[in-house]
Amino acid sequence: MASLKSFASVDRFVTEIASPATLRPAYILLGDEVFLYDRCRKAVLATLAPEDTRDFCLHDLDLAETSIFEVLDRAQTPSLMAPFQVLFVRNLKTLYGRGSKKEEFAAIDAYFRAPNPQALLLFVADHLRIPTDLRKMDYQDKERFEKIRETLGDWCGTVELARVDENDAIKWVTTTAESRNIKFDPDAARELVDSLGADMMLIASEFEKLLLYVSGPAAQPIEGVIPTEARSAQWRDPRISSEAPRTSPETNTTPLTKNRVTLGDVETMVLAAKQRSLYELTDAISAKDRPRALLLLHGLLNASDGGEDAAIGHLYMLARTFRQMLIISEKNVRDPRAIWQVLWQGFRMPPFAAEDLIKQARRYKSRRELTRAIRLVARADLELRSSPANKLLVLERLILDLSTEPKPTPYDPTHQFAMEL
């Protein structure tokens, strides 16, 4: 795989530890990008901690529970059972807490003046969040970053575990799939990355699921059953006859595997991709763009396995989204990072949607407009559960109502007179 800019620091680290001539006595893993940290750890274990001696040479230590003096003592003491020691040291931030920590840093300085050549220390500074563009780093994280480099940078190599750039994430998806003889369509790769907010751990997990999905046996149509596409086409266009062509086993030439991931596969298998379409719908609704909102509604239903039968699930997500916007509006949230303080666990949106949802919530001028939207969704939900003649019409009417400016309540003098009484 060609080297990607976002992976350059990790690739350099992997190359360094592979040779005793370039291996440094310690490294600092700076950042909270778990995917890149996992790559570093796997490379260290594969190169320096073989499985047959791993129980004797690998140490996972936490500075919140183990003092730096004990960590350095372990690093300095050779093992009788393994030729090399690997020590992962978490919670580096405790070294930079309250107090001067002169004794701790003096001990660190003394160790690195004569380090054990048969030991590797890996300090994990996952309390820092490093963005793709270092110039956009949070001021507090930047201060911590510089302080670590000033105090440990002379002795330790630094590995920046920054957020992966979206374009690099897309290239990783396509090239990794190609290395496993599977084609990943570019638009499918972009949708996967965009819908998961370029979170590489989530992307890697969904990527594996998609590869299993397209490399496994394809579902064979059952004789006499109308395919999903034909069923959804019937309610999309009344001109299509209800007598859709039925699949015959004799004419079925579907291969056992297709070894290709398409945009439809991502939309089918990745929940966040479905949610992304929903947030696009609420964006059109909040902007009062009725034509776009209707088009997005049809696209959302077409992508659903159950077609209009999945309508109640979509209504639930719509109601949930408007409730989220109501809280954002009431708490006057302007910064996406503040969302995690006002929305509780289990009621938060995916990271990629935070900024968009704040923008959508600000389009509503009052709490009354958002509660009106929630009431409209509740009314449509009740109507759908009452087995209407045409579910699509119920959904289309709801979207039109949500996308229309509410009419002002007409002034009634009798109400004013009643209030005065």
Side-chain angles (χ1 to χ4, degrees), residues 277-278 280-301 311 314-315 317-319 322 364 372-373 376-377 379-381 383-384 391-405:
S277 301
L278 180 80
E280 289 175 355
L281 174 60
T282 56
D283 181 67
I285 289 171
S286 63
K288 310 304 180 192
D289 188 343
R290 298 170 77 182
R292 184 163 74 96
L294 285 173
L295 284 173
L296 287 166
L297 169 68
H298 285 275
L300 196 63
L301 293 172
H314 294 318
L315 288 187
M317 292 302 296
L318 267 178
F322 279 113
Y364 291 93
R372 168 186 173 268
L376 287 172
V377 175
R379 189 177 68 187
D381 180 73
E383 195 171 349
L384 281 176
K391 294 179 181 179
L392 181 60
L393 288 179
V394 174
L395 295 172
E396 287 180 339
R397 187 171 65 244
L398 169 65
I399 297 305
L400 290 174
D401 289 342
L402 290 171
S403 307
T404 304
E405 290 283 355

Side-chain angles (χ1 to χ4, degrees), residues 81-112:
M81 305 298 293
F84 199 89
Q85 300 289 302
V86 175
L87 299 93
F88 282 90
V89 185
R90 304 192 71 89
N91 255 323
L92 184 62
K93 64 181 178 182
T94 57
L95 273 180
Y96 300 89
R98 293 181 179 179
S100 61
K101 309 287 184 182
K102 288 182 180 179
E103 293 181 2
E104 286 83 348
F105 282 108
I108 292 171
D109 187 66
Y111 171 80
F112 284 120

Side-chain angles (χ1 to χ4, degrees), residues 29-89:
L29 306 180
L30 290 157
D32 63 347
E33 178 52 73
V34 181
F35 178 79
L36 295 181
Y37 168 78
D38 193 51
R39 283 171 69 102
C40 291
R41 185 179 175 92
K42 285 179 178 177
V44 169
L45 297 184
T47 307
L48 303 171
E51 283 192 27
D52 54 342
T53 62
R54 194 166 293 173
D55 291 339
F56 308 105
C57 71
L58 177 63
H59 306 278
D60 284 294
L61 305 172
D62 191 327
L63 287 177
E65 302 168 356
T66 308
S67 71
I68 188 64
F69 305 107
E70 186 179 341
V71 170
L72 296 174
D73 185 59
R74 286 200 190 189
Q76 192 69 63
T77 306
S79 171
L80 298 175
M81 305 298 293
F84 199 89
Q85 300 289 302
V86 175
L87 299 93
F88 282 90
V89 185

Side-chain angles (χ1 to χ4, degrees), residues 187-202:
D187 55 347
R190 178 164 293 281
E191 178 64 21
L192 176 64
V193 172
D194 286 350
S195 64
L196 296 172
D199 185 321
M200 283 302 300
M201 280 302 286
L202 290 176

Side-chain angles (χ1 to χ4, degrees), residues 55-336:
D55 291 339
F56 308 105
C57 71
L58 177 63
H59 306 278
D60 284 294
L61 305 172
D62 191 327
L63 287 177
E65 302 168 356
T66 308
S67 71
I68 188 64
F69 305 107
E70 186 179 341
V71 170
L72 296 174
D73 185 59
R74 286 200 190 189
Q76 192 69 63
T77 306
S79 171
L80 298 175
M81 305 298 293
F84 199 89
Q85 300 289 302
V86 175
L87 299 93
F88 282 90
V89 185
R90 304 192 71 89
N91 255 323
L92 184 62
K93 64 181 178 182
T94 57
L95 273 180
Y96 300 89
R98 293 181 179 179
S100 61
K101 309 287 184 182
K102 288 182 180 179
E103 293 181 2
E104 286 83 348
F105 282 108
I108 292 171
D109 187 66
Y111 171 80
F112 284 120
R113 289 185 186 280
N116 180 6
Q118 302 303 317
L120 174 66
L121 281 165
L122 294 142
F123 295 106
V124 182
D126 55 3
H127 61 292
L128 302 180
R129 185 186 187 281
I130 304 179
T132 306
D133 186 349
L134 292 179
R135 294 171 297 179
K136 297 180 180 179
M137 189 185 299
D138 180 79
Y139 179 74
Q140 191 176 31
D141 283 337
K142 194 171 185 178
E143 274 193 332
R144 292 169 176 167
F145 181 85
E146 293 300 332
K147 195 168 185 179
I148 291 172
R149 295 189 67 170
E150 287 170 7
T151 51
L152 296 177
D154 290 340
W155 305 113
C156 307
T158 56
V159 186
E160 295 170 5
L161 308 182
R163 299 289 173 180
V164 176
D165 178 73
E166 287 190 5
N167 291 327
D168 284 347
I170 292 168
K171 290 175 184 175
W172 178 87
V173 168
T174 53
T175 54
T176 304
E178 283 176 8
S179 69
R180 292 162 67 169
N181 298 319
I182 292 178
K183 178 176 173 54
F184 213 109
D185 289 354
D187 55 347
R190 178 164 293 281
E191 178 64 21
L192 176 64
V193 172
D194 286 350
S195 64
L196 296 172
D199 185 321
M200 283 302 300
M201 280 302 286
L202 290 176
I203 289 169
S205 174
E206 296 296 332
F207 173 81
E208 293 296 334
K209 185 168 70 175
L210 284 163
L211 261 57
L212 285 172
Y213 175 66
V214 300
S215 60
Q220 302 293 329
I222 301 172
E223 185 178 7
V225 176
I226 302 175
T228 303
E229 293 81 359
R231 290 201 307 271
S232 60
Q234 287 179 25
W235 59 261
R236 283 203 309 272
D237 192 343
R239 292 172 297 178
I240 298 177
S241 169
S242 59
E243 290 299 322
R246 300 181 182 271
T247 305
S248 171
E250 289 78 8
T251 61
N252 177 30
T253 58
T254 305
L256 290 178
T257 60
K258 63 176 183 175
N259 288 338
R260 177 186 177 189
V261 180
T262 65
L263 179 60
D265 295 327
V266 174
E267 291 176 341
T268 299
M269 297 297 292
V270 182
L271 175 62
K274 297 179 183 179
Q275 291 178 329
R276 184 179 178 83
S277 301
L278 180 80
Y279 291 122
E280 289 175 355
L281 174 60
T282 56
D283 181 67
I285 289 171
S286 63
K288 310 304 180 192
D289 188 343
R290 298 170 77 182
R292 184 163 74 96
L294 285 173
L295 284 173
L296 287 166
L297 169 68
H298 285 275
L300 196 63
L301 293 172
N302 292 347
S304 301
D305 293 337
E308 62 180 359
D309 291 331
I312 290 177
H314 294 318
L315 288 187
Y316 165 76
M317 292 302 296
L318 267 178
R320 177 188 171 93
T321 305
F322 279 113
R323 286 176 61 209
Q324 289 169 337
M325 282 196 273
L326 179 60
I327 295 171
I328 289 169
S329 179
E330 287 182 334
K331 300 293 185 180
N332 197 26
V333 176
R334 300 296 180 93
D335 189 335

